[in-house]
């Protein structure tokens, strides 16, 4: 049978799903055409979409301001985040209905500034979850974020654990979800509509180890670094399957085709930026099961020998939750997300002050 693209073929012939990694309706429509069943957003992505289409969104911001004359620029920024998420949820609703609520979600992210405040993350997540039936809520995987995952799950929120790079973080997420579901079950609450995911930002694992290699003058086979995030993801997947976790893994942060092709065949999702969606859709890479093919042990051995931070990411006991926010990739990404939030607010401010 002839398929329109390798992505579409994957979506039709394997358990592997993919999402569109932004909230542009144009990009999302293209991805859905090629088999996407989800999407994700955050203040950084909202800022990028806003900057790319200021003419379209400036009137919307003006309308929000007119309807809410006392709103701050932060208030308007979050209204815009919510609007983009709700608009995307409408496009994905057919997939949500067709799957019986198992997919078709769009993710909206809690305020990164709350990364050390469990209560604020939970409060915002519960409110976001009510924006649409197919809304999923993201929060960063600090120790406080892990606690928020349990509480949000208990409150019936479908979560997407983000700012997550390591096997220890993914295990902590899955076990937090399990605790939340157990508490619900003990009270007779229905868990059938809970379909949580845990992100592993595979490209950012690679980015971080390359930065460490540069700073410390470490020489290894370049393929070892290229496959570092893949190795972490595959190890987490193996553990998830062995332990029978309810949570599903989600690959993110794309740098090359291995961050897609190596996960084909797995019961996982991937959130793929539009530029990579188009590249993968136009590629001639064969759709075949590679998830069960281990990363070359020789490459893993090099990473284990030269990079303590790889071991912290790869080994199930590599870190304790209180260490998560200080892991290099986590710390760096939190700072980037915080900076991205500030940039989004500056764009909102520009529109608000524009005559």
């Amino acid at each position: 049978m002839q398929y329109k693209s390798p992505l579409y073929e994957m979506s039709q012939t394997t358990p592997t799903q993919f999402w569109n990694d932004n909230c542009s309706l144009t990009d999302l429509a293209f991805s859905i055409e090629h088999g996407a069943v989800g999407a994700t957003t955050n203040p950084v992505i909202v800022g990028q979409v806003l900057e790319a289409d200021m003419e379209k969104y400036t009137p919307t911001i003006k309308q929000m301001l007119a309807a809410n004359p006392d709103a701050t620029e932060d208030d308007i920024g979050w209204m815009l985040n919510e609007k983009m998420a709700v608009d995307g949820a409408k496009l994905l609703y057919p997939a949500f209905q067709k799957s019986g609520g198992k997919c078709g979600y769009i993710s909206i992210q809690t305020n990164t500034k709350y990364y050390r405040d469990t209560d604020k993350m939970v409060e915002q997540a519960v409110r976001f979850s009510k924006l649409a039936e197919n809304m999923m809520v993201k929060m960063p995987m600090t120790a406080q974020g892990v606690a928020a995952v349990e509480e949000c799950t208990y409150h019936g929120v479908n979560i997407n654990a983000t700012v997550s790079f390591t096997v220890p973080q993914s295990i902590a997420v899955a076990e937090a979800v399990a605790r939340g579901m157990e508490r619900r079950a003990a009270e007779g609450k229905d868990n059938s509509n809970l379909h949580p995911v845990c992100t592993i930002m595979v490209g950012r694992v690679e980015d971080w180890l390359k930065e460490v290699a540069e700073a410390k003058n470490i020489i290894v086979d370049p393929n070892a670094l290229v496959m570092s995030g893949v190795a972490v993801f595959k190890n987490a997947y193996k553990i998830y399957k062995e332990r029978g976790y309810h949570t599903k893994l989600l690959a993110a942060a794309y740098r090359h085709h291995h961050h897609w092709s190596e996960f084909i065949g797995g019961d996982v999702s991937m959130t793929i930026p539009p530029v990579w969606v188009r590249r993968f859709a136009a590629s001639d890479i064969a759709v075949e099961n590679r998830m069960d093919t281990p990363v070359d042990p020789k490459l893993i051995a090099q990473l284990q020998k030269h990079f303590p931070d790889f071991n912290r990411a790869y080994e199930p006991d590599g870190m304790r939750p209180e260490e998560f926010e200080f892991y290099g990739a986590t710390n760096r990404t939190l700072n980037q997300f915080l900076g991205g939030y500030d940039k989004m607010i500056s764009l909102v401010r520009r529109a608000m002050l524009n005559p």
Side-chain angles (χ1 to χ4, degrees):
M1 182 175 181
Q2 185 66 39
Y3 292 97
K4 65 181 71 176
S5 72
L7 283 174
Y8 188 77
E9 180 181 353
M10 178 188 75
S11 74
Q12 299 301 303
T13 64
T14 79
T16 314
Q17 299 178 347
F18 88 94
W19 301 1
N20 184 71
D21 196 22
N22 82 3
C23 52
S24 160
L25 297 183
T26 301
D27 291 333
L28 179 53
F30 179 87
S31 291
I32 290 173
E33 181 184 346
H34 289 271
V37 291
T40 187
T41 180
N42 60 42
V44 176
I45 291 173
V46 168
Q48 291 168 348
V49 172
L50 178 60
E51 187 171 31
D53 207 354
M54 283 293 292
E55 287 188 11
K56 173 184 176 181
Y57 284 105
T58 295
T60 299
I61 292 171
K62 293 289 191 182
Q63 291 167 8
M64 290 175 174
L65 188 59
N68 302 273
D70 296 327
T72 66
E73 55 196 25
D74 290 273
D75 294 333
I76 299 296
W78 282 107
M79 290 179 196
L80 198 60
N81 270 265
E82 293 178 12
K83 174 179 169 46
M84 289 189 184
V86 169
D87 289 346
K90 292 175 183 176
L91 278 186
L92 288 163
Y93 195 68
F96 178 82
Q97 287 184 305
K98 183 178 178 180
S99 68
K102 293 180 180 179
C103 61
Y105 291 89
I106 189 165
S107 293
I108 182 172
Q109 186 165 313
T110 58
N111 194 333
T112 308
K113 294 181 179 181
Y114 298 162
Y115 73 94
R116 293 180 62 84
D117 193 320
T118 298
D119 291 341
K120 285 186 177 179
M121 280 188 271
V122 172
E123 180 183 2
Q124 194 174 38
V126 169
R127 189 171 67 79
F128 283 167
S129 71
K130 298 174 182 177
L131 292 173
E133 190 178 359
N134 55 331
M135 195 66 63
M136 185 174 275
V137 185
K138 300 165 70 175
M139 58 209 70
M141 283 310 98
T142 57
Q144 295 84 355
V146 172
V149 164
E150 178 179 343
E151 290 305 311
C152 287
T153 301
Y154 169 72
H155 287 290
V157 178
N158 274 299
I159 63 94
N160 176 354
T162 190
V163 192
S164 173
F165 315 86
T166 70
V167 174
Q169 285 173 298
S170 67
I171 291 173
V173 169
E175 293 184 347
V177 167
R179 290 192 299 271
M181 292 179 68
E182 287 169 5
R183 289 167 57 192
R184 288 177 60 79
E187 297 178 8
K189 295 177 179 177
D190 181 22
N191 284 327
S192 63
N193 292 324
L194 289 176
H195 303 284
V197 298
C198 177
T199 295
I200 296 182
M201 304 178 94
V202 290
R204 288 179 179 262
V205 174
E206 179 180 328
D207 293 345
W208 175 245
L209 294 182
K210 285 180 175 178
E211 188 171 310
V212 172
E214 183 72 19
K216 297 187 176 181
N217 296 312
I218 298 171
I219 299 295
V220 293
D221 184 332
N223 287 324
L225 293 169
V226 167
M227 297 300 285
S228 58
V230 173
V232 169
F233 192 87
K234 287 193 173 188
N235 198 36
Y237 182 72
K238 176 175 177 288
I239 291 169
Y240 265 46
K241 287 300 180 185
E242 289 172 348
R243 299 185 183 182
Y245 288 138
H246 180 75
T247 305
K248 180 179 285 189
L249 287 172
L250 175 73
Y254 283 71
R255 303 295 183 262
H256 43 72
H257 82 77
H258 295 299
H259 292 153
W260 161 55
S261 59
E262 284 292 323
F263 306 140
I264 294 174
D267 184 15
V268 300
S269 296
M270 313 183 209
T271 182
I272 307 177
V275 64
W276 285 104
V277 170
R278 294 178 185 276
R279 289 172 182 174
F280 296 155
S283 74
D284 56 4
I285 295 171
V287 175
E288 57 188 51
N289 187 340
R290 298 183 185 86
M291 178 58 91
D292 296 331
T293 303
V295 174
D296 185 342
K298 293 180 180 177
L299 298 179
I300 292 178
Q302 289 188 51
L303 293 166
Q304 289 174 324
K305 178 180 179 180
H306 294 284
F307 296 95
D309 272 2
F310 175 77
N311 293 318
R312 295 173 75 194
Y314 185 80
E315 298 297 337
D317 58 354
M319 283 189 291
R320 301 184 305 276
E322 56 266 28
E323 298 177 278
F324 290 167
E325 71 183 87
F326 302 107
Y327 183 66
T330 307
N331 190 274
R332 176 173 166 172
T333 301
L334 282 172
N335 276 292
Q336 289 176 344
F337 278 15
L338 288 164
Y341 175 81
D342 291 339
K343 181 177 179 181
M344 180 202 71
I345 294 301
S346 73
L347 290 167
V348 170
R349 183 185 307 124
R350 183 197 307 174
M352 288 171 66
L353 295 176
N354 185 34

